[in-house]
Amino acid sequence: MATTQNTITTDTICAISTPHGTGGIAVARISGPQAIQNAGKIWQGTNLATAQSHSAHLGTILDTDNRPLDQGIATIYRSPRSYTGEDTVELSVHGSLWIQRELLNTLCHAGCRIAEPGEFTRRAFSNRRLSLTQAEAVADMIASSSRAAHRIAINHLRGNFTQRLNQLHQNLLQLASLIELELDFSEEEVEFASRQQLHQLATELKHELQHLSDSYRTGAAIKQGIPVAIIGATNAGKSSLLNTLVGDQRAIVSDIHGTTRDIVEDSAEIGDYLFRFLDTAGLRHTTDTIEQIGIERSLQAAHSARIILLVADATTRPDPQAIDTARNSPDAHIILVANKTDLPRADTAPLLHTARELSAPLVSLSAATGAGIDTLRRALVSAIESEGDTGSELLVTNARQAQALQRAADSTARVISGLETGLSGDFIAQDLRQTMHYLSEVSGEITTPDILQNIFTRFCIGK
């Protein structure tokens, strides 16, 4: 059964919010109705019960036997002006693993329980401190591995995406109100909006919903790392190129044909983006069963990549099989790489024709010496930014949101079809209600406990 929010528990939870391991400082977070009271039981110093919200205090933390455990700082956040919307205390202590463990034991002895994964953020959502899209942005912020991924996450966390969803919801309400009025006064000669006006409103709404849903492809790639398949004939220098791009001897380099038999993957941050490079097996005709499996995986990588680096040996003729593989991946950006330009016999002229055929930029370089690598890096950034949406604040970054937005776009398409065919307003109104339902699923106004469980269990314990 759908619900607007999950059940709010009345117990007080605690967890270490800093990463696991030894460090200079560790922070224990406590949240719930007894947070300040329970923290006060193990605290020696300022009376936390009377301390003002958003104030920090130096004192001594006591263990279960009232012996000093550590000197620390207690920061008080009173309800509702806290992350969770509940009374919250954060205890900053020295980052010893033993101190962290004893601190949690002491807090549990004082009346707290260990938090479940994502429970602090789930309570923030339950107490309406965050929308569901903002809660998901918290996880994206923690996991962000590039400037672009961070930019998307922080815009969602600030509520930019939520505000856009609210605006779309208001547009839907306007459209639904006009349809409902039409139904209420269907027997009278009163027109609140012509079908043409309704059609225009629905078309604009559908376009926006579809655009947001489609942005998931770019958003997910930026969040997870943009997949780049490095393909080409054997001995074209693919593995050397991977090693040069990531700055490490990640792949084995050899003059022996067929050395790379499986996909070797590594990542590098270039500009604002994280790129995931996939060094693939060299494309050639072979009777070697294991090598053939590697070649098949190369073809699969090429078909799923956002960018293809088609590596060609500048001392030989272009390889037809590699060119066909790139040509048969229409959804990918192709960059033709003329490698080994440092060798005396290098000639990039034959590759210019191939580049024109593929409508691909040609980058001349030497993976061995590093000459031309910066040009390739710029070409990679230009390829992904040519899509136009990479700088958008409203990129969708997870499948749940994209699926709900797609369902909303599909139901709006049925509204448009109904208006075009003269369908009864009753049926059009039903499709509009479906659109509003799906849009509410994105923001979390309508959801189920199973969906919430699936979202928040992916969080770390202290968040």
Side-chain angles (χ1 to χ4, degrees), residues 178-208:
L178 293 172
I179 293 293
E180 294 292 346
L181 283 170
E182 179 183 287
L183 292 174
D184 290 342
F185 294 91
S186 58
E187 296 181 0
E188 303 180 25
E189 294 183 1
V190 179
E191 182 178 76
F192 294 93
S194 68
R195 288 262 164 156
Q196 184 178 356
Q197 290 174 306
L198 295 174
H199 186 278
Q200 182 179 348
L201 287 171
T203 300
E204 291 172 355
L205 181 62
K206 196 262 183 186
H207 174 78
E208 179 73 10

Side-chain angles (χ1 to χ4, degrees), residues 92-360:
S92 300
V93 297
H94 292 95
S96 154
L97 284 173
W98 183 83
I99 291 176
Q100 294 179 50
R101 184 171 62 250
E102 287 302 305
L103 176 55
L104 289 181
N105 288 337
T106 304
L107 285 171
C108 289
H109 188 264
C112 301
R113 71 163 172 82
I114 300 296
E116 298 174 357
E119 190 169 1
F120 290 98
T121 303
R122 184 163 181 167
R123 289 187 176 203
F125 167 69
S126 297
N127 291 319
R128 300 191 179 279
R129 296 291 292 173
L130 298 172
S131 69
L132 194 56
T133 55
Q134 288 176 297
E136 289 170 313
V138 171
D140 288 348
M141 179 76 78
I142 294 171
S144 60
S145 55
S146 69
R147 185 185 299 274
H150 171 266
R151 182 174 61 238
I152 297 170
I154 199 168
N155 282 324
H156 284 210
L157 185 57
R158 286 174 174 170
N160 294 357
F161 189 36
T162 300
Q163 290 172 14
R164 186 58 189 142
L165 291 176
N166 290 340
Q167 183 59 55
L168 290 173
H169 193 267
Q170 290 300 315
N171 294 347
L172 269 170
L173 283 175
Q174 179 187 0
L175 188 56
S177 298
L178 293 172
I179 293 293
E180 294 292 346
L181 283 170
E182 179 183 287
L183 292 174
D184 290 342
F185 294 91
S186 58
E187 296 181 0
E188 303 180 25
E189 294 183 1
V190 179
E191 182 178 76
F192 294 93
S194 68
R195 288 262 164 156
Q196 184 178 356
Q197 290 174 306
L198 295 174
H199 186 278
Q200 182 179 348
L201 287 171
T203 300
E204 291 172 355
L205 181 62
K206 196 262 183 186
H207 174 78
E208 179 73 10
L209 290 168
Q210 190 64 59
H211 180 75
L212 286 173
S213 178
D214 291 344
S215 74
Y216 171 66
R217 185 169 182 265
T218 299
I222 292 175
K223 175 182 172 181
Q224 298 163 9
I226 300 159
V228 181
I230 305 175
I231 69 169
T234 56
N235 265 14
K238 299 183 299 300
S239 296
S240 295
L241 182 59
L242 170 70
N243 292 340
T244 303
L245 283 167
V246 302
D248 190 15
Q249 296 301 305
R250 185 68 179 82
I252 298 173
V253 177
S254 169
D255 291 334
I256 301 172
H257 290 273
T259 300
T260 302
R261 296 194 170 202
D262 202 352
I263 293 175
V264 179
E265 179 178 341
D266 208 340
S267 300
E269 188 175 353
I270 301 174
D272 290 350
Y273 308 96
L274 181 72
F275 291 89
R276 290 190 298 112
F277 294 103
L278 309 169
D279 178 25
T280 65
L283 301 174
R284 66 169 180 165
H285 297 291
T286 180
T287 58
D288 187 306
T289 303
I290 302 301
E291 187 178 354
Q292 183 58 43
I293 293 173
I295 291 172
E296 290 174 359
R297 291 182 178 179
S298 299
L299 298 176
Q300 292 171 3
H303 289 311
S304 60
R306 296 299 301 276
I307 300 173
I308 291 176
L309 295 184
L310 175 55
V311 183
D313 185 339
T315 66
T316 63
R317 295 180 62 82
D319 181 69
Q321 186 177 1
I323 294 170
D324 286 342
T325 300
R327 185 181 287 115
N328 292 328
S329 304
D331 293 334
H333 300 279
I334 301 171
I335 300 174
L336 183 56
V337 178
N339 191 25
K340 304 185 182 181
T341 56
D342 57 313
L343 299 180
R345 293 181 292 111
D347 181 11
T348 60
L351 293 172
L352 287 172
H353 177 69
T354 303
R356 285 193 291 267
E357 277 188 339
L358 296 172
S359 298

Side-chain angles (χ1 to χ4, degrees), residues 37-52:
Q37 178 181 335
N38 290 351
K41 293 177 183 178
I42 68 168
W43 181 257
Q44 192 175 72
T46 302
N47 184 355
L48 300 184
T50 59
Q52 293 184 349

Side-chain angles (χ1 to χ4, degrees), residues 47-66:
N47 184 355
L48 300 184
T50 59
Q52 293 184 349
S53 182
H54 294 71
S55 62
H57 308 272
L58 178 67
T60 301
I61 297 170
L62 307 175
D63 65 14
T64 53
D65 295 321
N66 282 328

